[in-house]
Amino acid sequence: KAGVTQTPRYLIKTRGQQVTLSCSPISGHRSVSWYQQTPGQGLQFLFEYFSETQRNKGNFPGRFSGRQFSNSRSEMNVSTLELGDSALYLCASREQGIRAEAFFGQGTRLTVV
Amino acid sequence: AQTVTQSQPEMSVQEAETVTLSCTYDTSESDYYLFWYKQPPSRQMILVIRQEAYKQQNATENRFSVNFQKAAKSFSLKISDSQLGDAAMYFCAYPNGSGNTGKLIFGQGTTLQVKP
């Protein structure tokens, strides 16, 4: 099985722009979660989608949004980018079920200038 | 609120030696599970080991084992016979919320250096 695929791997954007990141989960995985990783704040949960519905949401402003498609692929959007949004964004997919392991992609490195 | 704390920002170990990474957590739940993830320079998080809270026995995966102290809410990772490839950042993680959740709460991470 192919692993979790995140595209693009690297992005450079200007303050005020918006950006869309993509995540393709492992085949058969219907849960997709997104995390932001920064040196200062560590790994923080953004949101989780399951069967096209947002199931959990972290403590991030409304500029951060996401969606999931019927094939379980997910996108994350950040509008009106700020310098502080520079981070590694990680996506994880998992099977349905209690205690299911999360499998992570290699992340998208976003730099806001 | 559930929290996960890793008090060692950096650790180093000599190749072939043993090292223990610490993690404490806070939860009011009685049935849960815990993870250790490894993040090498390639950035991809890889599951190292998982512990079910209801199990008395500590989990073991080859050279990796845990010391799970439920009453103390402690979950440390022991790496035996350390190898150069073990150099990475290690995160302790706790699934937030009971049952089927994809939300993980991570500790701050411990960077492990392995010296040849």
Side-chain angles (χ1 to χ4, degrees):
Chain A
K1 270 186 182 178
V4 178
T5 303
Q6 290 189 246
T7 55
R9 293 287 307 278
Y10 300 91
L11 265 179
I12 300 176
K13 289 286 188 179
T14 304
R15 265 184 306 175
Q17 286 186 314
Q18 77 164 21
V19 67
T20 299
L21 313 182
S22 179
C23 173
S24 293
I26 290 172
S27 177
H29 288 192
R30 291 158 62 193
S31 165
V32 174
S33 298
W34 289 88
Y35 295 84
Q36 181 195 65
Q37 185 176 17
T38 60
Q41 300 296 318
L43 276 154
Q44 294 187 286
F45 173 80
L46 280 155
F47 27 66
E48 178 194 10
Y49 285 87
F50 179 79
S51 292
E52 302 179 65
T53 301
Q54 189 178 86
R55 187 157 70 176
N56 275 303
K57 189 177 189 306
N59 193 23
F60 278 81
R63 300 185 297 107
F64 291 81
S65 63
R67 59 177 174 168
Q68 187 179 34
F69 302 95
S70 58
N71 62 358
S72 294
R73 189 177 71 87
S74 178
E75 286 182 348
M76 192 193 98
N77 184 275
V78 188
S79 63
T80 319
L81 283 166
E82 301 177 0
L83 295 179
D85 297 333
S86 294
L88 178 66
Y89 290 88
L90 292 168
C91 163
S93 77
R94 58 193 289 273
E95 294 177 326
Q96 174 72 343
I98 296 172
R99 301 180 175 88
E101 171 189 347
F103 292 84
F104 285 81
Q106 287 189 287
T108 294
R109 171 76 66 188
L110 172 65
T111 302
V112 182
V113 297
Chain B
Q2 288 95 344
T3 57
V4 179
T5 303
Q6 293 177 250
S7 58
Q8 306 153 314
E10 295 179 356
M11 293 280 285
S12 68
V13 63
Q14 208 69 35
E15 199 175 3
E17 300 280 299
T18 296
V19 64
T20 299
L21 309 183
S22 301
C23 172
T24 58
Y25 60 94
D26 187 24
T27 182
S28 56
E29 297 177 12
S30 58
D31 185 22
Y32 52 91
Y33 50 115
L34 296 155
F35 299 116
W36 276 100
Y37 277 91
K38 169 185 176 181
Q39 187 179 40
S42 67
R43 308 179 330 201
Q44 187 157 20
M45 299 276 276
I46 303 163
L47 180 67
V48 174
I49 200 164
R50 165 172 44 199
Q51 174 74 45
E52 313 276 354
Y54 71 88
K55 288 186 178 177
Q56 302 276 12
Q57 192 171 6
N58 289 324
T60 300
E61 288 286 343
N62 301 313
R63 299 181 295 106
F64 298 87
S65 61
V66 302
N67 182 5
F68 175 54
Q69 304 287 331
K70 190 174 182 180
K73 295 181 182 174
S74 169
F75 180 57
S76 59
L77 174 70
K78 186 170 87 169
I79 306 174
S80 304
D81 186 25
S82 297
Q83 300 175 0
L84 295 177
D86 295 333
M89 196 153 188
Y90 287 81
F91 292 93
C92 177
Y94 172 88
N96 179 246
S98 60
N100 189 15
T101 177
K103 178 180 179 180
L104 292 171
I105 297 176
F106 287 90
Q108 301 90 323
T110 297
T111 300
L112 177 66
Q113 180 186 26
V114 181
K115 297 177 180 176

Short mmCIF file of all heavy atoms in Angstrom, two decimals, chain B residues 56-112:
data_model
loop_
_atom_site.label_atom_id
_atom_site.label_comp_id
_atom_site.label_asym_id
_atom_site.label_seq_id
_atom_site.Cartn_x
_atom_site.Cartn_y
_atom_site.Cartn_z
N GLN B 56 -1.24 -4.82 31.89
CA GLN B 56 -0.24 -4.73 32.94
C GLN B 56 1.17 -4.82 32.36
O GLN B 56 2.11 -4.20 32.85
CB GLN B 56 -0.43 -5.89 33.94
CG GLN B 56 -1.78 -5.94 34.60
CD GLN B 56 -1.85 -5.03 35.81
OE1 GLN B 56 -0.97 -4.21 36.03
NE2 GLN B 56 -2.91 -5.17 36.59
N GLN B 57 1.30 -5.61 31.30
CA GLN B 57 2.61 -5.86 30.74
C GLN B 57 3.09 -4.69 29.91
O GLN B 57 2.35 -4.13 29.10
CB GLN B 57 2.55 -7.11 29.86
CG GLN B 57 3.90 -7.63 29.44
CD GLN B 57 3.78 -8.99 28.76
OE1 GLN B 57 2.68 -9.48 28.50
NE2 GLN B 57 4.90 -9.60 28.46
N ASN B 58 4.36 -4.32 30.08
CA ASN B 58 4.95 -3.26 29.30
C ASN B 58 5.17 -3.72 27.86
O ASN B 58 5.62 -4.83 27.61
CB ASN B 58 6.29 -2.82 29.90
CG ASN B 58 6.12 -2.08 31.20
OD1 ASN B 58 5.16 -1.32 31.38
ND2 ASN B 58 7.03 -2.30 32.13
N ALA B 59 4.87 -2.83 26.91
CA ALA B 59 5.03 -3.17 25.50
C ALA B 59 6.51 -3.23 25.13
O ALA B 59 7.34 -2.48 25.67
CB ALA B 59 4.32 -2.13 24.64
N THR B 60 6.81 -4.11 24.18
CA THR B 60 8.18 -4.27 23.68
C THR B 60 8.14 -4.47 22.19
O THR B 60 7.28 -5.20 21.68
CB THR B 60 8.85 -5.50 24.34
OG1 THR B 60 8.90 -5.32 25.74
CG2 THR B 60 10.27 -5.67 23.81
N GLU B 61 9.03 -3.78 21.50
CA GLU B 61 9.19 -3.95 20.05
C GLU B 61 10.68 -3.98 19.76
O GLU B 61 11.34 -2.96 19.65
CB GLU B 61 8.54 -2.78 19.28
CG GLU B 61 7.05 -2.75 19.27
CD GLU B 61 6.42 -3.79 18.35
OE1 GLU B 61 7.14 -4.35 17.48
OE2 GLU B 61 5.22 -4.05 18.50
N ASN B 62 11.20 -5.19 19.65
CA ASN B 62 12.64 -5.36 19.37
C ASN B 62 13.48 -4.62 20.41
O ASN B 62 13.41 -4.91 21.60
CB ASN B 62 12.96 -4.90 17.94
CG ASN B 62 12.17 -5.68 16.92
OD1 ASN B 62 12.09 -6.89 16.96
ND2 ASN B 62 11.54 -4.96 15.99
N ARG B 63 14.26 -3.62 20.01
CA ARG B 63 15.14 -2.91 20.95
C ARG B 63 14.41 -1.84 21.75
O ARG B 63 15.02 -1.19 22.61
CB ARG B 63 16.29 -2.27 20.17
CG ARG B 63 17.19 -3.26 19.42
CD ARG B 63 18.33 -2.55 18.71
NE ARG B 63 17.86 -1.68 17.64
CZ ARG B 63 17.84 -0.35 17.71
NH1 ARG B 63 18.29 0.27 18.80
NH2 ARG B 63 17.41 0.37 16.69
N PHE B 64 13.15 -1.63 21.46
CA PHE B 64 12.37 -0.57 22.11
C PHE B 64 11.41 -1.18 23.12
O PHE B 64 10.70 -2.15 22.81
CB PHE B 64 11.59 0.23 21.07
CG PHE B 64 12.46 0.93 20.05
CD1 PHE B 64 12.86 0.28 18.90
CD2 PHE B 64 12.87 2.23 20.26
CE1 PHE B 64 13.67 0.91 17.96
CE2 PHE B 64 13.67 2.88 19.33
CZ PHE B 64 14.07 2.22 18.18
N SER B 65 11.38 -0.61 24.30
CA SER B 65 10.44 -1.07 25.31
C SER B 65 9.97 0.13 26.11
O SER B 65 10.61 1.20 26.08
CB SER B 65 11.08 -2.12 26.23
OG SER B 65 12.19 -1.57 26.91
N VAL B 66 8.86 -0.04 26.80
CA VAL B 66 8.35 1.05 27.63
C VAL B 66 8.31 0.62 29.08
O VAL B 66 8.23 -0.56 29.39
CB VAL B 66 6.94 1.53 27.17
CG1 VAL B 66 6.97 1.98 25.73
CG2 VAL B 66 5.90 0.45 27.40
N ASN B 67 8.36 1.61 29.94
CA ASN B 67 8.10 1.43 31.36
C ASN B 67 6.85 2.25 31.67
O ASN B 67 6.91 3.48 31.76
CB ASN B 67 9.28 1.90 32.19
CG ASN B 67 9.06 1.66 33.67
OD1 ASN B 67 8.05 1.06 34.09
ND2 ASN B 67 9.97 2.12 34.49
N PHE B 68 5.72 1.56 31.73
CA PHE B 68 4.43 2.21 31.90
C PHE B 68 4.02 2.12 33.36
O PHE B 68 3.83 1.02 33.90
CB PHE B 68 3.39 1.53 31.00
CG PHE B 68 1.99 2.03 31.17
CD1 PHE B 68 1.70 3.38 31.07
CD2 PHE B 68 0.94 1.15 31.42
CE1 PHE B 68 0.40 3.85 31.22
CE2 PHE B 68 -0.36 1.61 31.56
CZ PHE B 68 -0.62 2.96 31.47
N GLN B 69 3.89 3.26 34.00
CA GLN B 69 3.48 3.33 35.40
C GLN B 69 2.15 4.09 35.44
O GLN B 69 2.14 5.33 35.47
CB GLN B 69 4.54 4.06 36.24
CG GLN B 69 5.93 3.46 36.17
CD GLN B 69 6.02 2.18 36.95
OE1 GLN B 69 5.30 1.98 37.93
NE2 GLN B 69 6.90 1.29 36.50
N LYS B 70 1.05 3.34 35.42
CA LYS B 70 -0.26 3.97 35.27
C LYS B 70 -0.59 4.90 36.44
O LYS B 70 -1.10 6.00 36.24
CB LYS B 70 -1.35 2.90 35.12
CG LYS B 70 -2.70 3.46 34.72
CD LYS B 70 -3.70 2.36 34.45
CE LYS B 70 -5.04 2.93 34.00
NZ LYS B 70 -6.04 1.86 33.71
N ALA B 71 -0.32 4.47 37.63
CA ALA B 71 -0.65 5.29 38.80
C ALA B 71 0.14 6.59 38.80
O ALA B 71 -0.37 7.65 39.15
CB ALA B 71 -0.38 4.51 40.08
N ALA B 72 1.36 6.52 38.37
CA ALA B 72 2.21 7.71 38.32
C ALA B 72 2.03 8.49 37.02
O ALA B 72 2.60 9.57 36.87
CB ALA B 72 3.68 7.30 38.46
N LYS B 73 1.24 7.95 36.09
CA LYS B 73 1.03 8.56 34.78
C LYS B 73 2.36 8.85 34.10
O LYS B 73 2.64 9.96 33.64
CB LYS B 73 0.16 9.81 34.90
CG LYS B 73 -1.24 9.48 35.40
CD LYS B 73 -2.13 10.70 35.51
CE LYS B 73 -3.50 10.27 36.05
NZ LYS B 73 -4.37 11.41 36.33
N SER B 74 3.16 7.81 34.05
CA SER B 74 4.48 7.90 33.45
C SER B 74 4.62 6.86 32.35
O SER B 74 4.15 5.73 32.49
CB SER B 74 5.53 7.67 34.55
OG SER B 74 6.80 7.49 34.00
N PHE B 75 5.27 7.23 31.29
CA PHE B 75 5.35 6.36 30.10
C PHE B 75 6.71 6.60 29.45
O PHE B 75 6.84 7.40 28.53
CB PHE B 75 4.21 6.74 29.16
CG PHE B 75 4.14 5.96 27.86
CD1 PHE B 75 4.03 4.59 27.86
CD2 PHE B 75 4.13 6.63 26.64
CE1 PHE B 75 3.94 3.88 26.67
CE2 PHE B 75 4.04 5.93 25.44
CZ PHE B 75 3.94 4.56 25.45
N SER B 76 7.74 5.94 29.92
CA SER B 76 9.08 6.19 29.40
C SER B 76 9.46 5.16 28.34
O SER B 76 8.97 4.03 28.34
CB SER B 76 10.11 6.18 30.53
OG SER B 76 10.10 4.95 31.20
N LEU B 77 10.33 5.57 27.45
CA LEU B 77 10.78 4.72 26.34
C LEU B 77 12.24 4.36 26.56
O LEU B 77 13.08 5.24 26.74
CB LEU B 77 10.63 5.47 25.01
CG LEU B 77 11.20 4.76 23.77
CD1 LEU B 77 10.35 3.53 23.42
CD2 LEU B 77 11.26 5.72 22.57
N LYS B 78 12.52 3.07 26.53
CA LYS B 78 13.89 2.61 26.66
C LYS B 78 14.36 2.07 25.31
O LYS B 78 13.69 1.23 24.69
CB LYS B 78 14.01 1.51 27.71
CG LYS B 78 15.45 1.09 27.97
CD LYS B 78 15.58 0.18 29.18
CE LYS B 78 15.39 -1.26 28.82
NZ LYS B 78 15.76 -2.17 29.94
N ILE B 79 15.51 2.58 24.87
CA ILE B 79 16.11 2.11 23.62
C ILE B 79 17.39 1.37 23.99
O ILE B 79 18.32 1.97 24.57
CB ILE B 79 16.43 3.27 22.66
CG1 ILE B 79 15.18 4.12 22.41
CG2 ILE B 79 16.98 2.73 21.33
CD1 ILE B 79 15.43 5.37 21.59
N SER B 80 17.42 0.09 23.68
CA SER B 80 18.59 -0.73 24.00
C SER B 80 19.48 -0.85 22.77
O SER B 80 19.00 -0.75 21.63
CB SER B 80 18.15 -2.12 24.46
OG SER B 80 17.28 -2.02 25.55
N ASP B 81 20.78 -1.07 23.00
CA ASP B 81 21.71 -1.27 21.89
C ASP B 81 21.53 -0.17 20.84
O ASP B 81 21.27 -0.44 19.66
CB ASP B 81 21.48 -2.66 21.27
CG ASP B 81 22.49 -3.00 20.20
OD1 ASP B 81 23.61 -2.44 20.23
OD2 ASP B 81 22.15 -3.80 19.30
N SER B 82 21.63 1.07 21.26
CA SER B 82 21.35 2.22 20.39
C SER B 82 22.17 2.16 19.10
O SER B 82 23.36 1.79 19.10
CB SER B 82 21.65 3.53 21.12
OG SER B 82 20.81 3.67 22.24
N GLN B 83 21.51 2.53 18.03
CA GLN B 83 22.15 2.56 16.71
C GLN B 83 22.12 3.97 16.15
O GLN B 83 21.29 4.78 16.55
CB GLN B 83 21.42 1.60 15.77
CG GLN B 83 21.43 0.16 16.26
CD GLN B 83 20.62 -0.77 15.40
OE1 GLN B 83 20.01 -0.37 14.40
NE2 GLN B 83 20.59 -2.04 15.78
N LEU B 84 23.03 4.24 15.21
CA LEU B 84 23.10 5.58 14.63
C LEU B 84 21.76 5.99 14.02
O LEU B 84 21.37 7.15 14.05
CB LEU B 84 24.21 5.65 13.58
CG LEU B 84 25.64 5.47 14.11
CD1 LEU B 84 26.64 5.49 12.97
CD2 LEU B 84 25.99 6.53 15.14
N GLY B 85 21.05 5.01 13.48
CA GLY B 85 19.76 5.29 12.87
C GLY B 85 18.66 5.65 13.86
O GLY B 85 17.58 6.06 13.45
N ASP B 86 18.96 5.51 15.15
CA ASP B 86 17.97 5.89 16.17
C ASP B 86 17.97 7.40 16.42
O ASP B 86 17.08 7.92 17.08
CB ASP B 86 18.26 5.17 17.49
CG ASP B 86 18.09 3.67 17.39
OD1 ASP B 86 17.30 3.21 16.54
OD2 ASP B 86 18.76 2.95 18.17
N ALA B 87 18.96 8.09 15.89
CA ALA B 87 19.04 9.54 16.07
C ALA B 87 17.82 10.19 15.43
O ALA B 87 17.57 10.02 14.22
CB ALA B 87 20.32 10.09 15.46
N ALA B 88 17.07 10.91 16.23
CA ALA B 88 15.81 11.50 15.74
C ALA B 88 15.19 12.29 16.89
O ALA B 88 15.71 12.32 18.00
CB ALA B 88 14.83 10.41 15.29
N MET B 89 14.05 12.89 16.58
CA MET B 89 13.24 13.48 17.63
C MET B 89 12.16 12.47 18.01
O MET B 89 11.54 11.88 17.11
CB MET B 89 12.61 14.78 17.15
CG MET B 89 12.09 15.67 18.25
SD MET B 89 12.11 17.39 17.74
CE MET B 89 11.70 18.21 19.25
N TYR B 90 11.95 12.29 19.30
CA TYR B 90 10.97 11.32 19.78
C TYR B 90 9.84 12.06 20.49
O TYR B 90 10.08 12.92 21.33
CB TYR B 90 11.63 10.32 20.73
CG TYR B 90 12.52 9.34 20.00
CD1 TYR B 90 13.81 9.69 19.63
CD2 TYR B 90 12.05 8.07 19.65
CE1 TYR B 90 14.62 8.80 18.94
CE2 TYR B 90 12.85 7.17 18.97
CZ TYR B 90 14.13 7.55 18.61
OH TYR B 90 14.93 6.66 17.91
N PHE B 91 8.63 11.67 20.14
CA PHE B 91 7.45 12.29 20.73
C PHE B 91 6.60 11.24 21.42
O PHE B 91 6.31 10.17 20.87
CB PHE B 91 6.60 12.96 19.65
CG PHE B 91 7.23 14.16 19.02
CD1 PHE B 91 7.96 14.03 17.84
CD2 PHE B 91 7.08 15.42 19.57
CE1 PHE B 91 8.54 15.13 17.24
CE2 PHE B 91 7.65 16.52 18.97
CZ PHE B 91 8.38 16.39 17.81
N CYS B 92 6.17 11.59 22.60
CA CYS B 92 5.17 10.82 23.32
C CYS B 92 3.81 11.41 22.92
O CYS B 92 3.68 12.63 22.80
CB CYS B 92 5.45 10.99 24.81
SG CYS B 92 4.32 10.22 25.93
N ALA B 93 2.81 10.56 22.71
CA ALA B 93 1.52 11.06 22.26
C ALA B 93 0.37 10.33 22.94
O ALA B 93 0.46 9.12 23.22
CB ALA B 93 1.39 10.94 20.74
N TYR B 94 -0.70 11.07 23.15
CA TYR B 94 -1.89 10.55 23.82
C TYR B 94 -3.12 10.91 22.98
O TYR B 94 -3.30 12.08 22.62
CB TYR B 94 -1.98 11.20 25.21
CG TYR B 94 -3.25 10.91 25.96
CD1 TYR B 94 -3.36 9.79 26.76
CD2 TYR B 94 -4.33 11.78 25.88
CE1 TYR B 94 -4.52 9.52 27.44
CE2 TYR B 94 -5.50 11.51 26.56
CZ TYR B 94 -5.59 10.39 27.35
OH TYR B 94 -6.75 10.13 28.02
N PRO B 95 -3.97 9.94 22.65
CA PRO B 95 -5.19 10.25 21.89
C PRO B 95 -6.19 10.98 22.76
O PRO B 95 -6.61 10.46 23.80
CB PRO B 95 -5.72 8.88 21.47
CG PRO B 95 -4.60 7.94 21.72
CD PRO B 95 -3.81 8.51 22.85
N ASN B 96 -6.55 12.17 22.37
CA ASN B 96 -7.45 12.98 23.18
C ASN B 96 -8.89 12.55 23.00
O ASN B 96 -9.38 12.48 21.89
CB ASN B 96 -7.29 14.45 22.78
CG ASN B 96 -8.21 15.36 23.57
OD1 ASN B 96 -9.12 15.96 23.02
ND2 ASN B 96 -7.98 15.44 24.85
N GLY B 97 -9.56 12.27 24.07
CA GLY B 97 -10.94 11.84 23.96
C GLY B 97 -11.01 10.33 23.94
O GLY B 97 -10.13 9.66 23.44
N SER B 98 -12.08 9.81 24.47
CA SER B 98 -12.19 8.35 24.55
C SER B 98 -12.60 7.79 23.20
O SER B 98 -13.09 8.50 22.33
CB SER B 98 -13.23 7.97 25.60
OG SER B 98 -14.48 8.52 25.25
N GLY B 99 -12.38 6.52 23.06
CA GLY B 99 -12.84 5.81 21.88
C GLY B 99 -12.11 6.17 20.60
O GLY B 99 -10.90 6.34 20.60
N ASN B 100 -12.84 6.34 19.56
CA ASN B 100 -12.29 6.45 18.23
C ASN B 100 -11.98 7.91 17.88
O ASN B 100 -12.85 8.64 17.44
CB ASN B 100 -13.31 5.87 17.25
CG ASN B 100 -12.75 5.75 15.87
OD1 ASN B 100 -11.55 5.84 15.67
ND2 ASN B 100 -13.62 5.57 14.91
N THR B 101 -10.77 8.34 18.11
CA THR B 101 -10.40 9.70 17.81
C THR B 101 -9.08 9.75 17.07
O THR B 101 -8.17 8.97 17.36
CB THR B 101 -10.31 10.56 19.08
OG1 THR B 101 -9.88 11.88 18.71
CG2 THR B 101 -9.31 9.99 20.06
N GLY B 102 -8.97 10.67 16.15
CA GLY B 102 -7.71 10.87 15.43
C GLY B 102 -6.91 12.01 16.00
O GLY B 102 -5.87 12.35 15.48
N LYS B 103 -7.38 12.61 17.10
CA LYS B 103 -6.69 13.75 17.68
C LYS B 103 -5.65 13.27 18.67
O LYS B 103 -5.98 12.65 19.68
CB LYS B 103 -7.69 14.67 18.38
CG LYS B 103 -7.04 15.86 19.04
CD LYS B 103 -8.07 16.75 19.72
CE LYS B 103 -7.42 17.94 20.40
NZ LYS B 103 -8.42 18.81 21.06
N LEU B 104 -4.40 13.55 18.38
CA LEU B 104 -3.30 13.19 19.26
C LEU B 104 -2.77 14.44 19.95
O LEU B 104 -2.59 15.47 19.31
CB LEU B 104 -2.17 12.52 18.49
CG LEU B 104 -2.45 11.14 17.90
CD1 LEU B 104 -1.32 10.72 16.98
CD2 LEU B 104 -2.64 10.12 19.00
N ILE B 105 -2.49 14.29 21.25
CA ILE B 105 -1.79 15.35 21.98
C ILE B 105 -0.35 14.89 22.12
O ILE B 105 -0.09 13.79 22.64
CB ILE B 105 -2.42 15.58 23.35
CG1 ILE B 105 -3.85 16.06 23.18
CG2 ILE B 105 -1.61 16.62 24.13
CD1 ILE B 105 -4.59 16.22 24.49
N PHE B 106 0.57 15.72 21.67
CA PHE B 106 1.99 15.37 21.69
C PHE B 106 2.73 16.10 22.80
O PHE B 106 2.40 17.23 23.17
CB PHE B 106 2.65 15.75 20.36
CG PHE B 106 2.26 14.87 19.20
CD1 PHE B 106 1.17 15.17 18.41
CD2 PHE B 106 3.00 13.74 18.91
CE1 PHE B 106 0.81 14.36 17.34
CE2 PHE B 106 2.67 12.92 17.84
CZ PHE B 106 1.56 13.23 17.06
N GLY B 107 3.77 15.44 23.30
CA GLY B 107 4.71 16.13 24.16
C GLY B 107 5.60 17.04 23.32
O GLY B 107 5.48 17.08 22.09
N GLN B 108 6.49 17.74 23.99
CA GLN B 108 7.32 18.73 23.31
C GLN B 108 8.43 18.09 22.49
O GLN B 108 9.07 18.75 21.68
CB GLN B 108 7.95 19.69 24.33
CG GLN B 108 6.92 20.44 25.18
CD GLN B 108 6.57 19.69 26.46
OE1 GLN B 108 6.49 18.46 26.48
NE2 GLN B 108 6.36 20.42 27.53
N GLY B 109 8.69 16.82 22.73
CA GLY B 109 9.70 16.10 21.97
C GLY B 109 11.05 16.07 22.66
O GLY B 109 11.41 16.99 23.41
N THR B 110 11.78 15.00 22.42
CA THR B 110 13.16 14.85 22.90
C THR B 110 14.04 14.54 21.71
O THR B 110 13.77 13.57 20.98
CB THR B 110 13.27 13.70 23.93
OG1 THR B 110 12.48 14.01 25.07
CG2 THR B 110 14.73 13.50 24.34
N THR B 111 15.06 15.36 21.49
CA THR B 111 16.00 15.11 20.40
C THR B 111 17.08 14.16 20.90
O THR B 111 17.77 14.46 21.88
CB THR B 111 16.64 16.42 19.92
OG1 THR B 111 15.61 17.30 19.45
CG2 THR B 111 17.61 16.14 18.78
N LEU B 112 17.18 13.02 20.26
CA LEU B 112 18.16 12.02 20.66
C LEU B 112 19.35 12.04 19.70
O LEU B 112 19.19 11.91 18.50
CB LEU B 112 17.55 10.62 20.67
CG LEU B 112 18.51 9.48 21.02
CD1 LEU B 112 19.00 9.61 22.46
CD2 LEU B 112 17.86 8.12 20.80
#
